[in-house]
Amino acid sequence: MLSVIPNPPRIVLPIVGSEDTFPVRRVYCVGRNYGAHAREMGADPDREAPFFFLKPADALQAVPYGTLTEHPYPPRTEKYHFEVELVAALAHGGRDIPEADALAYVYGYAVGLDMTRRDLQDEAKRMSRPWDMGKGADASGPIGPLHPVSAIGHPAKGAITLSVDGQQRQSGDLSEMIQSVAEQIALLSTYFEMHPGDLIFTGTPSGVGAVSRGETMTAAIEGLGRIDLKVV
């Protein structure tokens, strides 16, 4: 049986130290997972329950190391915000995964950005509508190559930063996450059956802000390197 339209290519990510690639199935994101960021967004991290949203897998933008990659400014926004994040990639799936076992499901980690049309997201919040238009723009998930757990282990601490044209805008530490990677996997698996190829964007530290055309973003996580993007 033939498809009536051409099948779109599956999104794949490069893997550090390998010619193999990692096929992506689904992209989950956790909201307000650093206390200072929750407060800058007007929330109380001590009272708010963990929550998640999704990005389309084809909104990812694979960014190689050692190059300045062009990143398209999306249409219909005047407030395009950066959010640097640790991304966890799953090699195994299941339901109701115990927290104590959850890290065994991770294949590797990468530097990522949850780019957000903040004006559209803010409007959706005011009108009690979904965030999809704010979070799902084309190329709104820049991500660097995956580092396998077999090579780097599970990063639980280390600097996570973002600069714009050399000026630091975000700075935090992975240890400041409210909900750990293991906790996120365990909780997500009570809502969905997790599968190999799933990604989790694990939250951003404080300092999120707008970026403009012509500016260069550098996102970095200790032990995972950096990615560089010029907004065009």
Side-chain angles (χ1 to χ4, degrees), residues 22-222:
F22 183 90
V24 178
R25 173 184 174 269
R26 187 175 289 179
V27 180
Y28 299 96
C29 305
V30 63
R32 299 195 283 259
N33 196 36
Y34 288 72
H37 173 59
R39 285 185 284 273
E40 76 178 350
M41 300 303 289
D44 184 346
D46 295 325
R47 295 188 176 186
E48 187 173 47
F51 70 96
F52 299 91
F53 57 93
L54 287 84
K55 275 184 181 287
D58 62 2
L60 296 175
Q61 179 187 18
V63 182
Y65 285 146
T67 64
L68 181 60
T69 300
E70 291 190 344
H71 177 76
Y73 194 99
R76 305 197 64 152
T77 183
E78 296 180 358
K79 191 183 292 184
Y80 191 43
H81 277 205
F82 49 78
E83 300 185 10
V84 61
E85 311 209 5
L86 173 71
V87 182
L90 301 191
H92 309 286
R95 294 185 184 273
D96 298 318
I97 298 169
E99 181 185 328
D101 301 333
L103 290 183
Y105 288 68
V106 179
Y107 174 82
Y109 297 91
V111 179
L113 284 167
D114 170 20
M115 299 300 296
T116 303
R117 289 190 275 206
R118 190 73 73 200
D119 44 0
L120 299 190
Q121 185 195 33
D122 289 345
E123 180 182 18
K125 290 177 181 178
R126 287 194 301 270
M127 302 183 74
S128 298
R129 291 177 176 175
W131 294 3
D132 303 61
M133 299 300 282
K135 288 291 190 177
D138 294 338
S140 62
I143 183 171
L146 281 174
H147 294 255
V149 167
S150 59
I152 66 162
H154 298 281
K157 61 181 180 179
I160 175 170
T161 61
L162 184 135
S163 63
V164 177
D165 287 347
Q167 299 297 312
Q168 187 167 281
R169 303 287 291 278
Q170 288 188 270
S171 179
D173 194 279
L174 298 178
S175 63
E176 297 168 353
M177 284 188 194
I178 297 170
Q179 190 178 46
S180 70
V181 173
E183 290 172 317
Q184 292 178 53
I185 294 169
L187 182 55
L188 271 170
S189 72
T190 67
Y191 289 101
F192 304 94
E193 180 176 359
M194 308 302 289
H195 287 268
D198 288 346
L199 301 183
I200 304 173
F201 280 63
T202 63
T204 193
S206 62
V208 301
V211 68
S212 301
R213 290 181 178 88
E215 294 182 322
T216 296
M217 302 181 292
T218 297
I221 297 177
E222 186 176 337

